[in-house]
Amino acid sequence: SALYPASVHASPSVLRPGASSVSSADGGGGGLRASLLRNAASSVASASTSSMRDSTTDAGAEAAHSDGRDVCIVLDDVTVDMNEPCVMDIKMGTRTFTESDLGDTTERPDLLAKMLSLDKTAATEAEMDKGAITKLRYLKFREELTTTAHLGFRIDAMKIGDDPNLNDTPLNFRRGPREPSAVLRELTRFVCDARPIAAAFAARLRALRNALEADLQFFPTHSLIRSSLLFTYDKSPTQDGDVAAARVGVHMIDFSSSCRAPAGERLTHRSAWEPGSLEDGYLVGVDNLIKMFDKVERGETVWEGED
C-alpha cells in the first residue's frame, strides 16, 4: 500500500497508517529527517539529508489498518508550548484535482450551487440548463479564484494571535488573495511586519526544499495533491524581538489525496501536469513561498511582472 506523509516539524509528527513524516529543525538546531512508519511491529527507516539509518520507535497508540495490519497513530500539538500562537494553512501545488476526478463525470447540482455562490456569472448557459456540473469543473473553477495555478500554492486560512483586530477578515474563496502582491500583503500581515520571522520562515522552507530534493525514495515517487503546509509561530516573544523563542515552524499536513506513482515513474514536482503524469507542482509552490518570504523580509510589496 502507499505510504502517506504526515507532518513537518521538530517534534513527534502526526503519523497516519503507513505514514511518513519529514521534520524541520527547531530553533535550537538539529538535522532534517524523514521517518517512514510502516506498522507497529516494524522498524522505522529514518532518513536525513546526510545519511539513511534504521531505528525503532515507541509510536504510542495502536490501531487496525484496513488490511488487518497493526499501525500506530501519533498526534502532536505543534502549538502546545506557545502563549499566543499564529497559524496559517497553505494548500500546496499547481492543481487540486486528482486523476480520479478526471473520470468522475457525475453532474452534481450541489457543486453548481457552490460555484454560483462564489460567482453568479461563472456557469455556462448549458450548465445552467442542466442544473449541475462535475467535480472536475468545480475544482478547476475554484482554482481560477486563487493563486494555485500560477504560484503553486494558495492561502486557505490564517489566525494571528489573539487580537480580534488582526483576525477580522477570515480568508476564504470569496475574500482570499488572488494576486501575488495581495499574497505578499497577507504574508506580511501574518508575521506582523516582523522581518526576522519572515526570514525564519524562508530558512525553514529552504531546509524543507533541500530535504525533499535530497530524498530519493518517498518524495519523487508520490504525488501530494491537496496537501498543505502549516506555518506556526508564537507571537508573544516576537514583541520583544526574541525570534528564537517564537518557535517558528513549517509542518506538512493533509495527505488523504496523496498517491504513489506507478512503478518506475519519478516525479519532479515542478513539471507541468499532463493527464496520467501525477505531477503536482509542489516544489513550484515551495520555490515561490521562499521568494515571497524573502520579499517580506526585505519589505518589498511588488511581485515580478506586476506594476
Side-chain angles (χ1 to χ4, degrees), residues 24 39 53 86 92 102 121 140-141 157 189 211 228 263 266:
S24 68
N39 55 53
R53 65 183 185 276
C86 299
M92 298 300 295
L102 297 177
T121 66
K140 285 188 172 181
F141 157 75
R189 189 169 71 91
S228 294
R266 300 182 76 79

Side-chain angles (χ1 to χ4, degrees), residues 96-162:
T96 59
F97 57 88
T98 66
E99 298 292 322
S100 62
D101 293 328
L102 297 177
D104 185 355
T105 59
T106 303
E107 294 183 328
R108 295 170 49 181
D110 63 315
L111 293 182
L112 176 61
K114 283 186 177 181
M115 183 169 73
L116 294 176
S117 71
L118 296 171
D119 184 349
K120 296 183 183 299
T121 66
T124 65
E125 184 177 344
E127 289 168 342
M128 292 298 294
D129 290 341
K130 290 181 180 179
I133 58 174
T134 64
K135 184 177 181 180
L136 179 60
R137 168 73 169 105
Y138 174 71
L139 291 175
K140 285 188 172 181
F141 157 75
R142 198 171 69 172
E143 287 176 358
E144 294 171 0
L145 299 182
T146 72
T147 56
T148 290
H150 58 285
L151 289 183
F153 72 88
R154 71 169 186 246
I155 301 176
D156 266 7
M158 182 189 299
K159 183 179 185 298
I160 308 171
D162 300 323

Side-chain angles (χ1 to χ4, degrees), residues 150-210:
H150 58 285
L151 289 183
F153 72 88
R154 71 169 186 246
I155 301 176
D156 266 7
M158 182 189 299
K159 183 179 185 298
I160 308 171
D162 300 323
D163 187 345
N165 294 323
L166 295 176
N167 294 288
D168 61 351
T169 55
L171 297 174
N172 52 42
F173 290 113
R174 292 183 179 86
R175 303 177 68 175
R178 302 184 186 184
E179 300 299 328
S181 291
V183 176
L184 274 173
R185 289 193 295 272
E186 289 300 323
L187 295 181
T188 301
R189 189 169 71 91
F190 177 65
V191 301
C192 299
D193 294 308
R195 296 186 182 184
I197 296 296
F201 276 126
R204 293 286 183 272
L205 287 164
R206 284 189 171 88
L208 171 62
R209 183 174 63 183
N210 289 342

